Short mmCIF file of all heavy atoms in Angstrom, two decimals:
data_model
loop_
_atom_site.label_atom_id
_atom_site.label_comp_id
_atom_site.label_asym_id
_atom_site.label_seq_id
_atom_site.Cartn_x
_atom_site.Cartn_y
_atom_site.Cartn_z
N GLU A 17 9.07 -68.15 -0.90
CA GLU A 17 10.08 -68.47 0.11
C GLU A 17 10.12 -67.40 1.20
O GLU A 17 10.23 -67.72 2.40
CB GLU A 17 11.45 -68.58 -0.56
CG GLU A 17 12.59 -68.92 0.39
CD GLU A 17 12.38 -70.25 1.12
OE1 GLU A 17 11.68 -71.12 0.58
OE2 GLU A 17 12.93 -70.40 2.23
N ILE A 18 10.02 -66.13 0.81
CA ILE A 18 10.00 -65.04 1.80
C ILE A 18 8.82 -65.20 2.75
O ILE A 18 8.95 -65.09 3.97
CB ILE A 18 9.95 -63.67 1.09
CG1 ILE A 18 11.30 -63.39 0.41
CG2 ILE A 18 9.60 -62.57 2.08
CD1 ILE A 18 11.28 -62.17 -0.49
N VAL A 19 7.63 -65.48 2.18
CA VAL A 19 6.45 -65.64 3.02
C VAL A 19 6.57 -66.86 3.92
O VAL A 19 6.16 -66.85 5.07
CB VAL A 19 5.17 -65.70 2.15
CG1 VAL A 19 3.95 -65.99 3.02
CG2 VAL A 19 4.97 -64.39 1.40
N ASN A 20 7.17 -67.93 3.39
CA ASN A 20 7.35 -69.13 4.21
C ASN A 20 8.26 -68.85 5.40
O ASN A 20 8.06 -69.40 6.49
CB ASN A 20 7.90 -70.28 3.37
CG ASN A 20 6.79 -71.19 2.85
OD1 ASN A 20 5.94 -71.63 3.61
ND2 ASN A 20 6.80 -71.44 1.55
N ILE A 21 9.28 -68.03 5.21
CA ILE A 21 10.13 -67.64 6.35
C ILE A 21 9.30 -66.87 7.36
O ILE A 21 9.42 -67.07 8.58
CB ILE A 21 11.34 -66.82 5.86
CG1 ILE A 21 12.27 -67.70 5.01
CG2 ILE A 21 12.11 -66.22 7.04
CD1 ILE A 21 13.38 -66.94 4.31
N GLY A 22 8.41 -65.99 6.87
CA GLY A 22 7.55 -65.24 7.77
C GLY A 22 6.62 -66.13 8.56
O GLY A 22 6.47 -65.96 9.79
N VAL A 23 5.97 -67.10 7.91
CA VAL A 23 5.05 -67.96 8.64
C VAL A 23 5.82 -68.92 9.55
O VAL A 23 5.29 -69.34 10.59
CB VAL A 23 4.09 -68.73 7.70
CG1 VAL A 23 3.19 -67.77 6.95
CG2 VAL A 23 4.82 -69.66 6.78
N SER A 24 7.05 -69.25 9.21
CA SER A 24 7.88 -70.05 10.12
C SER A 24 8.16 -69.28 11.41
O SER A 24 8.14 -69.86 12.51
CB SER A 24 9.20 -70.44 9.45
OG SER A 24 8.98 -71.31 8.36
N ARG A 25 8.39 -67.99 11.28
CA ARG A 25 8.58 -67.16 12.47
C ARG A 25 7.29 -67.03 13.25
O ARG A 25 7.30 -67.01 14.49
CB ARG A 25 9.12 -65.80 12.06
CG ARG A 25 10.54 -65.89 11.50
CD ARG A 25 11.08 -64.56 11.01
NE ARG A 25 12.44 -64.71 10.52
CZ ARG A 25 13.14 -63.76 9.90
NH1 ARG A 25 12.59 -62.56 9.73
NH2 ARG A 25 14.36 -63.98 9.49
N ALA A 26 6.16 -66.95 12.55
CA ALA A 26 4.88 -66.94 13.23
C ALA A 26 4.65 -68.25 13.98
O ALA A 26 4.14 -68.26 15.10
CB ALA A 26 3.75 -66.71 12.22
N LEU A 122 0.00 -62.31 10.75
CA LEU A 122 0.15 -61.27 9.72
C LEU A 122 1.35 -60.38 9.99
O LEU A 122 2.07 -59.99 9.06
CB LEU A 122 -1.13 -60.44 9.63
CG LEU A 122 -2.37 -61.17 9.12
CD1 LEU A 122 -3.59 -60.25 9.17
CD2 LEU A 122 -2.16 -61.69 7.70
N ASN A 123 1.59 -60.04 11.27
CA ASN A 123 2.76 -59.22 11.59
C ASN A 123 4.06 -59.91 11.21
O ASN A 123 4.99 -59.27 10.69
CB ASN A 123 2.76 -58.89 13.08
CG ASN A 123 2.11 -57.55 13.39
OD1 ASN A 123 2.68 -56.51 13.14
ND2 ASN A 123 0.90 -57.61 13.91
N ASN A 124 4.15 -61.21 11.48
CA ASN A 124 5.35 -61.94 11.11
C ASN A 124 5.52 -62.01 9.60
O ASN A 124 6.63 -61.84 9.09
CB ASN A 124 5.31 -63.35 11.71
CG ASN A 124 5.83 -63.40 13.13
OD1 ASN A 124 7.03 -63.43 13.37
ND2 ASN A 124 4.93 -63.40 14.09
N CYS A 125 4.44 -62.25 8.89
CA CYS A 125 4.52 -62.32 7.42
C CYS A 125 4.93 -60.98 6.82
O CYS A 125 5.87 -60.90 6.02
CB CYS A 125 3.19 -62.78 6.84
SG CYS A 125 2.80 -64.51 7.12
N LEU A 126 4.23 -59.92 7.21
CA LEU A 126 4.51 -58.61 6.65
C LEU A 126 5.86 -58.08 7.12
O LEU A 126 6.61 -57.48 6.33
CB LEU A 126 3.39 -57.64 7.02
CG LEU A 126 2.03 -57.90 6.37
CD1 LEU A 126 0.94 -57.09 7.05
CD2 LEU A 126 2.07 -57.59 4.88
N GLY A 127 6.17 -58.29 8.41
CA GLY A 127 7.45 -57.82 8.93
C GLY A 127 8.62 -58.51 8.26
O GLY A 127 9.62 -57.87 7.91
N THR A 128 8.52 -59.82 8.08
CA THR A 128 9.59 -60.56 7.41
C THR A 128 9.73 -60.13 5.97
O THR A 128 10.84 -59.95 5.47
CB THR A 128 9.30 -62.07 7.49
OG1 THR A 128 9.28 -62.47 8.86
CG2 THR A 128 10.37 -62.87 6.75
N MET A 129 8.61 -59.96 5.29
CA MET A 129 8.66 -59.51 3.90
C MET A 129 9.37 -58.16 3.80
O MET A 129 10.27 -57.98 2.96
CB MET A 129 7.24 -59.41 3.33
CG MET A 129 7.19 -59.00 1.88
SD MET A 129 5.48 -58.83 1.25
CE MET A 129 4.92 -60.52 1.40
N ALA A 130 8.99 -57.23 4.66
CA ALA A 130 9.62 -55.90 4.64
C ALA A 130 11.11 -56.00 4.95
O ALA A 130 11.94 -55.38 4.25
CB ALA A 130 8.92 -54.98 5.63
N ASN A 131 11.48 -56.76 5.98
CA ASN A 131 12.89 -56.86 6.36
C ASN A 131 13.74 -57.48 5.26
O ASN A 131 14.85 -57.00 4.97
CB ASN A 131 13.02 -57.69 7.65
CG ASN A 131 12.52 -56.95 8.87
OD1 ASN A 131 12.44 -55.72 8.88
ND2 ASN A 131 12.15 -57.69 9.90
N MET A 132 13.25 -58.55 4.66
CA MET A 132 14.03 -59.22 3.63
C MET A 132 14.14 -58.39 2.36
O MET A 132 15.11 -58.53 1.60
CB MET A 132 13.44 -60.60 3.33
CG MET A 132 13.54 -61.55 4.52
SD MET A 132 13.07 -63.25 4.15
CE MET A 132 14.47 -63.77 3.12
N LEU A 133 13.15 -57.52 2.14
CA LEU A 133 13.20 -56.62 0.99
C LEU A 133 13.86 -55.29 1.34
O LEU A 133 13.91 -54.37 0.52
CB LEU A 133 11.79 -56.37 0.45
CG LEU A 133 11.06 -57.61 -0.09
CD1 LEU A 133 9.65 -57.25 -0.51
CD2 LEU A 133 11.83 -58.24 -1.25
N ARG A 134 14.36 -55.19 2.60
CA ARG A 134 15.10 -54.03 3.09
C ARG A 134 14.25 -52.76 3.06
O ARG A 134 14.70 -51.68 2.67
CB ARG A 134 16.39 -53.84 2.29
CG ARG A 134 17.34 -55.03 2.41
CD ARG A 134 18.57 -54.86 1.57
NE ARG A 134 19.44 -56.04 1.68
CZ ARG A 134 20.57 -56.21 1.01
NH1 ARG A 134 20.98 -55.26 0.16
NH2 ARG A 134 21.29 -57.30 1.16
N GLU A 135 13.01 -52.93 3.48
CA GLU A 135 12.08 -51.81 3.58
C GLU A 135 11.37 -51.89 4.93
O GLU A 135 11.65 -52.77 5.74
CB GLU A 135 11.06 -51.87 2.44
CG GLU A 135 11.65 -51.72 1.04
CD GLU A 135 12.19 -50.33 0.75
OE1 GLU A 135 11.89 -49.40 1.54
OE2 GLU A 135 12.90 -50.17 -0.24
N LEU A 137 7.34 -51.31 6.87
CA LEU A 137 5.91 -51.13 6.70
C LEU A 137 5.30 -50.67 8.02
O LEU A 137 5.75 -51.06 9.09
CB LEU A 137 5.24 -52.45 6.28
CG LEU A 137 5.61 -53.02 4.91
CD1 LEU A 137 4.96 -54.39 4.74
CD2 LEU A 137 5.18 -52.09 3.78
#
Side-chain angles (χ1 to χ4, degrees):
E17 180 60 26
I18 289 171
V19 175
N20 265 310
I21 293 171
V23 297
S24 294
R25 292 177 179 173
L122 293 176
N123 266 285
N124 275 280
C125 288
L126 291 167
T128 298
M129 182 182 296
N131 289 338
M132 295 188 71
L133 297 177
R134 299 178 181 176
E135 297 291 347
L137 295 174

